[in-house]
Amino acid sequence: SITVPLLLLLGAFKFLVVVWFFMHLKWDNPRYRGLFFIGVVGAILLFGVVHFSVGLAWLNPVITATK
């Protein structure tokens, strides 16, 4: 189903919009903005690597549970 990936994408978009406006990243020094986005990208990459290393169980839990 496309529901879970869509909700994850929408949640990430909402997070970025809230951070962008309420943490005032628009008016901060570009260096701080860059550090924030490096952290966000790093967290997303770490999330992907961890889930890839455990066999992508989060993408298809029914098949994994029946093995």
Side-chain angles (χ1 to χ4, degrees):
S1 175
I2 193 163
T3 306
V4 173
L6 182 62
L7 288 174
L8 288 173
L9 184 66
L10 288 173
F13 177 72
K14 179 182 176 184
F15 169 77
L16 289 174
V17 168
V18 168
V19 167
W20 188 261
F21 286 109
F22 293 110
M23 290 181 64
H24 309 288
L25 287 176
K26 286 195 296 189
W27 301 286
D28 272 351
N29 188 335
R31 194 175 331 161
Y32 298 136
R33 189 180 319 139
L35 286 174
F36 172 76
F37 285 114
I38 287 171
V40 168
V41 169
I44 291 169
L45 288 174
L46 179 63
F47 179 81
V49 167
V50 167
H51 284 290
F52 182 74
S53 68
V54 295
L56 298 173
W58 63 285
L59 283 177
N60 205 346
V62 175
I63 293 174
T64 305
T66 58
K67 283 185 179 178

